[in-house]
Amino acid sequence: MHDIRAIRENPAAFDAALSRRGDAPISSELLALDAERRAKITAAETAQAEQKKASKEVGAAKAKGDEAEFERLRALVGEKKEEIAAMQNAAKDIDAKLTDMLARIPNIPADDVPQGADEDDNVEVSRWGTPVDLAFEAKEHFDIKGVSAAMDFETAAKTSGARFVMLKGAVARVHRALAQFMIDTHVDENGLTEINTPVLVRDEAMYGTDKLPKFAEDSYQTTNGWWLISTSEIPLTYSVGGDTLDESKLPIRLTAHSLCFRSEAGSAGRDTAGMLRQHQFEKVEMVSITHPDTSDEEQKRMLRCAEDILEKLDIPYRTVVLCTGDMGFGARRTFDIEAWLPGQNSYREISSVSTTGDFQARRMNARFKPTEGGKPEFVHTLNGSGLAVGRCLIAVLENGQQEDGSVKLPEVLAPYLGGKTTLSADGTLV
C-alpha cells in the first residue's frame, strides 16, 4: 500500500517510478479523490462547529423566552446534523474508493532494479556449480526409470484432476527428506524460528500480504470464506499484522514448511508435463520482519540462506535480479534462484527472495516502537522460498540421474534416508 501523503508531496516522482514498471501515470486521479475526500472532511468539521454553536444558542434562546429563535436554532441543529452525516458518509465512500485504488497499485521498484519488460531483461548476478555433463541423453524427472512408476499423475488426475501428482514409495520419502533437510538447515544453521502455520486464512491476511484484491483468481477460497494459502508467507508475515513491536525484537526471522495451493490462472499450456507447475505443492518459506535500515542487508542474508541449500545438495544454479517488468506485485526488489535441470537443458526458478519495504506493513498496520523514543514506524517485510520442495526434488532427480535409470542422491540427505544414497532403477532406496 502506498502513502497518499508521499504521493501528494511528489506526484511526478510517483508516476515516474510506476512508469518503470510499465504502468500509466495515476497520481492526478488519486490526488483528485484525495482532495475531494479532504474537502468533505473539512466541510463536515465546519458544519460540526456550526452545529455546536447553534446548540449552545438554543438554550440561551429558550431562557430568554424567544420561541421563534429557539425553533429556528433547533431546526438549524437538525439540519447540520443531517448535513454532517451526509458529508461524513460521502468522505467515507471516497476514502474506500481511494483505498481500493491504492491497493491495486504495485510497489515502487528500488532504484537499483534493472529496467526491463519481461524475464528476458533479467540480469544474472552469479552462478554456482557446473552443469553435469552426462554421457547419455538426459531425461526429464518423470521419465527416469527409477522415478516414473512412483510419480503417479494418472491416479492423481482421477482423484483431483490435472496438475496434481501422487508420489509413492522411495520418491515420496526423498521429497519428505528434502523438506526436513531444508527446515533443519534454516533452524540449526540460519537461526530462523520454525512455525507450523494454518493453511486457511482470512481476508485480512490475504489483503495485508498484497494477495487481495488483485490476485483473487490465483487463489482458492472455501465456501465459508477462508482462503487456501498460496505460500506460508501469508500467515508468517501477517502474524505481526496490527502489532506495534519493540525495536529490540527486530529482526524476526521465521520459516515454515507447508502445503501451498495455486489455481495457476493464466498459465494454461505452460509446464503441463511433470510436476513443475502444480495446483498443490510444498514449500519451505522464509520470512523476515526488519527495521527499515537493515532490510536490504537482510535480503542478501536470506538469498544466501536459499543458495546454501542448493550448494549443500550440489545442484548447479544461477541467481538473477528481476527487472522492473518481471517483478511481483508487492516487491521492491527480487532475486530469483534458478536451478539447472538437465532434462530441460535449462535453468528454472526454484526460489524467489523479495523485499517489499513497508508496502505490506502499511496494508496490515505493522509497526515498531523506536528504542530512543518517537512515533512508531512501519517495519519492513521480506519473504523467500527456502526452497520449493517439489522443484528441488526435480533438480535432485535430474542432476543425479544415471544411465541405468537409477539416481545418485545428495550425501546430505543420507541421514534422512536411513543412510541410503541411491534411488535404484527399480525405485527402491539402496
Side-chain angles (χ1 to χ4, degrees):
M1 180 75 77
H2 296 286
D3 183 358
I4 189 63
R5 291 172 297 181
I7 300 172
R8 198 185 300 149
E9 291 169 3
N10 200 337
F14 180 75
D15 285 340
L18 282 182
S19 72
R20 295 190 64 211
R21 278 184 172 265
D23 286 26
I26 196 172
S27 66
S28 59
E29 189 175 349
L30 293 170
L31 294 178
L33 275 176
D34 179 49
E36 185 181 358
R37 176 181 63 89
R38 288 193 292 154
K40 294 291 184 185
I41 293 171
T42 299
E45 290 172 348
T46 300
Q48 281 178 321
E50 293 171 349
Q51 181 194 36
K52 186 176 181 180
K53 179 183 177 183
S55 296
K56 290 181 179 179
E57 293 174 348
V58 165
K62 184 71 172 177
K64 291 179 181 178
D66 189 342
E67 195 64 27
E69 181 66 3
F70 170 76
E71 292 297 336
R72 185 188 73 80
L73 290 169
R74 191 169 66 168
L76 179 61
V77 169
E79 290 172 7
K80 290 298 177 182
K81 184 177 180 179
E82 293 178 2
E83 184 180 337
I84 292 165
M87 286 185 288
Q88 287 177 334
N89 287 334
K92 185 177 180 181
D93 290 342
I94 296 167
D95 185 66
K97 184 177 180 180
L98 178 60
T99 299
D100 183 67
M101 286 184 65
L102 289 169
R104 296 175 186 274
I105 300 171
N107 203 351
I108 298 299
D111 292 340
D112 60 358
V113 172
Q115 188 69 32
D118 53 36
E119 61 184 16
D120 293 333
D121 295 319
N122 295 340
V123 177
E124 183 176 313
V125 294
S126 66
R127 287 195 184 206
W128 184 90
T130 302
V132 60
D133 184 16
L134 299 176
F136 56 93
E137 184 177 354
K139 296 182 181 296
E140 292 198 59
H141 55 286
F142 50 85
D143 279 333
I144 298 171
K145 186 177 179 182
V147 176
S148 57
M151 199 168 279
D152 190 346
F153 297 99
E154 291 184 2
T155 303
K158 181 173 67 175
T159 63
S160 306
R163 295 200 174 183
F164 290 90
V165 64
M166 285 189 177
L167 301 179
K168 301 178 179 179
V171 173
R173 185 173 180 181
V174 174
H175 183 268
R176 173 164 51 89
L178 281 165
Q180 290 181 274
F181 160 68
M182 292 174 195
I183 281 287
D184 286 351
T185 301
H186 290 316
V187 171
D188 296 338
E189 298 184 18
N190 299 330
L192 280 64
T193 299
E194 182 179 3
I195 307 292
N196 191 318
T197 73
V199 297
L200 291 168
V201 297
R202 302 188 302 175
D203 286 354
E204 294 90 337
M206 291 286 284
Y207 180 86
T209 53
D210 65 61
K211 307 303 178 283
L212 291 180
K214 187 173 177 63
F215 299 108
E217 67 173 4
D218 294 322
S219 302
Y220 293 108
Q221 188 176 27
T222 66
T223 55
N224 60 353
W226 280 320
W227 295 87
L228 285 163
I229 61 171
S230 55
T231 163
S232 57
E233 168 205 342
I234 298 168
L236 289 177
T237 304
Y238 196 73
S239 66
V240 299
D243 293 348
T244 300
L245 307 165
D246 288 337
E247 183 179 352
S248 61
K249 301 295 184 183
L250 302 178
I252 297 172
R253 295 169 174 147
L254 308 173
T255 187
H257 166 221
S258 73
L259 285 168
C260 305
F261 306 87
R262 294 183 186 175
S263 69
E264 294 294 346
S267 64
R270 295 179 59 198
D271 301 318
T272 55
M275 59 177 292
L276 195 67
R277 192 180 295 274
Q278 299 276 284
H279 291 307
Q280 174 187 308
F281 57 97
E282 293 180 37
K283 186 152 66 82
V284 172
E285 186 73 5
M286 302 178 292
V287 161
S288 288
I289 314 298
T290 73
H291 190 287
D293 293 346
T294 63
S295 63
D296 285 347
E297 285 303 312
E298 186 70 14
Q299 186 179 24
K300 294 176 185 177
R301 182 186 189 278
M302 292 175 71
L303 181 64
R304 278 304 304 149
C305 289
E307 290 173 337
D308 183 57
I309 295 292
L310 286 174
E311 292 174 16
K312 289 179 185 297
L313 293 168
D314 200 26
I315 303 296
Y317 68 86
R318 69 173 193 157
T319 300
V320 302
V321 58
L322 301 193
C323 69
T324 53
D326 197 35
M327 284 199 310
F329 177 81
R332 285 191 75 239
R333 184 193 303 108
T334 297
F335 292 99
D336 270 9
I337 305 173
E338 300 174 349
W340 175 253
L341 300 185
Q344 293 193 15
N345 194 39
S346 65
Y347 289 96
R348 297 302 301 268
E349 179 203 336
I350 201 167
S351 173
S352 286
V353 179
S354 300
T355 176
T356 75
D358 63 6
F359 188 77
Q360 291 179 330
R362 287 183 181 278
R363 297 171 77 102
M364 61 183 184
N365 194 28
R367 303 170 184 256
F368 71 93
K369 186 187 305 179
T371 302
E372 297 182 358
K375 294 181 179 179
E377 301 176 32
F378 289 108
V379 297
H380 279 199
T381 62
L382 303 95
N383 61 82
S385 310
L387 305 161
V389 182
R391 291 195 174 197
C392 199
L393 175 67
I394 293 171
V396 164
L397 296 174
E398 292 194 9
N399 281 278
Q401 64 182 298
Q402 307 296 303
E403 191 168 10
D404 65 354
S406 64
V407 176
K408 183 180 178 182
L409 300 170
E411 291 287 340
V412 292
L413 295 184
Y416 301 91
L417 300 172
K420 298 172 181 177
T421 58
T422 302
L423 178 66
S424 70
D426 65 4
T428 59
L429 288 171
V430 294

